[in-house]
Amino acid sequence: MRYAVLVTGPAGAGKSSFSAAFVTHLRTTKRTSHLVNLDPAAAPDSFQYDPVIDIKDLINLDDVMGELGYGPNGGLVYCFEYLLENMDWLEEELGEYDEDYLIIDCPGQIELYTHHPFLPTLVQNLQRLGIRVCAVYLIESQFIEDRYKFFSGVLSAMSAMVNLEIPWINIMSKMDLVTSNPDDPLGSGRNGIRARRDIARYLDPDPLLIAQRNQDTNTSNSRFHALNQAIVQLIEDHPLVSFLPLDLTSTDSLETVISHIDYTMQYGEDEEPKEVKSQEFDSSATLTSNGVHHQPPDLDEGDFQDME
């Protein structure tokens, strides 16, 4: 069985850093993994590992912009249209990898996930090839500094989930930039000082965060507040989005995220299927000798213990 993880999310969310850490962890645990690049605008020096499959070998965004006169967004759309018209190229490239774990680094234009049919069509082709697919959607911790920006991220994640219709995990990245210490001498909390209880309201989005009127402004536009209430109602009616915290400076944090990904795709199920029982999470026992994973814990059990 082959597995593929689509690493998605807006620009600057840390997709490439996560992909590199993901590959490193899998190789450390003696699992065969490869990086695949689907960003036709990615710089060659932006990868810690050389991609085994690179869309730039098929089509390059700079060439499209130069020869056709398209802008960055229009050029990216053209690149994906060209990819879908040449799926035989991708199938031939994928044919060399069997029983492997493919980490697919995707572009940062969120309209590709929320509006266009390109990625859903790509997923269907991967599944037709017998590849088990899931996706992760990253937003960075800076989003929690502005609750309106945060909920725009929540809605984009929800839209992408509905559009792709595959197993899905949302990740709040760069949590090492959030601290609970107001006197942090290293200044590592540049994305805010948050107590653990406050962070939990963002990891499992609390619609009341946006329902509360902003006390720092005198805004009283009734239509503005009516829009907020409509968004609150939408999130309450469709509670699809929650986030796993990711701190790439913590091995435990990375292992927790990867264990959720493995469990979502039922990694190793075809080797020895068994019912996974809920139990206390032990990061050292995430991957057993036969490749079967235990069910990950609830988010509020052991996450960010230092943030009291």
Side-chain angles (χ1 to χ4, degrees):
M1 175 64 68
R2 292 183 292 179
Y3 302 87
V5 179
L6 297 174
V7 181
T8 67
K15 296 185 296 297
S16 295
S17 297
F18 171 68
S19 298
F22 199 165
V23 171
T24 298
H25 178 81
L26 293 180
R27 293 184 178 181
T28 301
T29 54
K30 309 301 181 184
R31 294 162 63 179
T32 305
S33 61
H34 304 287
L35 180 66
V36 176
N37 174 44
L38 283 188
D39 186 356
D45 58 355
S46 63
F47 300 109
Q48 181 176 335
Y49 297 97
D50 292 333
V52 296
I53 302 174
D54 193 341
I55 190 176
K56 296 176 71 175
D57 294 334
L58 175 68
I59 188 168
N60 189 301
L61 180 60
D62 291 336
D63 294 340
V64 171
M65 293 173 61
E67 296 179 13
L68 301 179
Y70 289 162
N73 289 337
L76 188 65
V77 168
Y78 180 88
C79 289
F80 268 83
E81 289 177 341
Y82 189 83
L83 172 63
L84 294 183
E85 292 173 357
N86 295 271
M87 280 302 298
D88 54 337
W89 170 83
L90 183 59
E91 291 182 19
E92 183 178 349
E93 295 290 322
L94 290 170
E96 300 180 9
Y97 303 98
D98 193 19
E99 302 294 332
D100 292 347
Y101 214 115
L102 302 174
I103 314 300
I104 304 178
D105 193 357
C106 298
Q109 281 74 7
I110 61 174
E111 59 267 24
L112 292 176
Y113 318 124
T114 59
H115 298 84
H116 293 292
F118 305 137
L119 285 182
T121 303
L122 175 64
V123 166
Q124 292 172 6
N125 279 276
L126 294 176
Q127 293 174 333
R128 180 176 55 81
L129 296 173
I131 300 176
R132 191 171 293 178
V133 185
C134 85
V136 297
Y137 190 90
L138 280 72
I139 67 171
E140 61 173 313
S141 59
Q142 185 183 16
F143 277 53
I144 68 178
E145 283 300 283
D146 183 335
R147 62 176 180 264
Y148 300 113
K149 182 178 180 180
F150 170 74
F151 278 99
S152 71
V154 171
L155 293 178
S156 67
M158 183 184 298
S159 177
M161 294 171 70
V162 172
N163 191 32
L164 266 71
E165 297 183 321
I166 57 176
W168 194 275
I169 292 177
N170 296 299
I171 297 174
M172 182 77 71
S173 64
K174 304 182 182 180
M175 290 303 290
D176 52 304
L177 300 181
V178 178
T179 182
S180 62
N181 182 7
D183 301 318
D184 181 9
L186 300 179
S188 61
R190 66 180 177 86
N191 280 354
I193 300 171
R194 300 281 173 176
R196 181 183 176 188
R197 180 176 300 176
D198 190 23
I199 290 175
R201 297 185 71 187
Y202 289 90
L203 297 180
D204 189 9
D206 182 358
L208 294 180
L209 285 170
I210 197 173
Q212 298 169 352
R213 296 195 177 191
N214 193 338
Q215 299 178 355
D216 297 331
T217 67
N218 295 322
T219 302
S220 58
N221 190 317
S222 60
R223 289 181 298 177
F224 179 78
H225 297 302
L227 173 62
N228 287 347
Q229 292 294 336
I231 293 174
V232 167
Q233 191 64 47
L234 174 65
I235 295 173
E236 287 183 339
D237 291 344
H238 306 280
L240 302 176
V241 179
S242 61
F243 294 92
L244 289 176
L246 175 63
D247 174 2
L248 287 181
T249 66
S250 167
T251 302
D252 288 344
S253 176
L254 179 61
E255 287 180 346
T256 299
V257 170
I258 293 177
S259 73
H260 277 75
I261 295 173
D262 285 342
Y263 183 75
T264 298
M265 292 197 297
Q266 290 297 294
Y267 176 80
E269 182 189 43
D270 54 322
E271 298 176 6
E272 187 178 345
K274 62 181 295 186
E275 181 179 356
V276 181
K277 298 180 180 179
S278 178
Q279 62 181 39
E280 185 67 20
F281 181 71
D282 179 1
S283 61
S284 64
T286 300
L287 178 64
T288 60
S289 59
N290 61 5
V292 177
H293 293 258
H294 297 302
Q295 183 176 14
D298 293 334
L299 288 178
D300 56 354
E301 295 183 7
D303 287 328
F304 293 88
Q305 295 179 354
D306 58 331
M307 295 186 176
E308 300 294 341

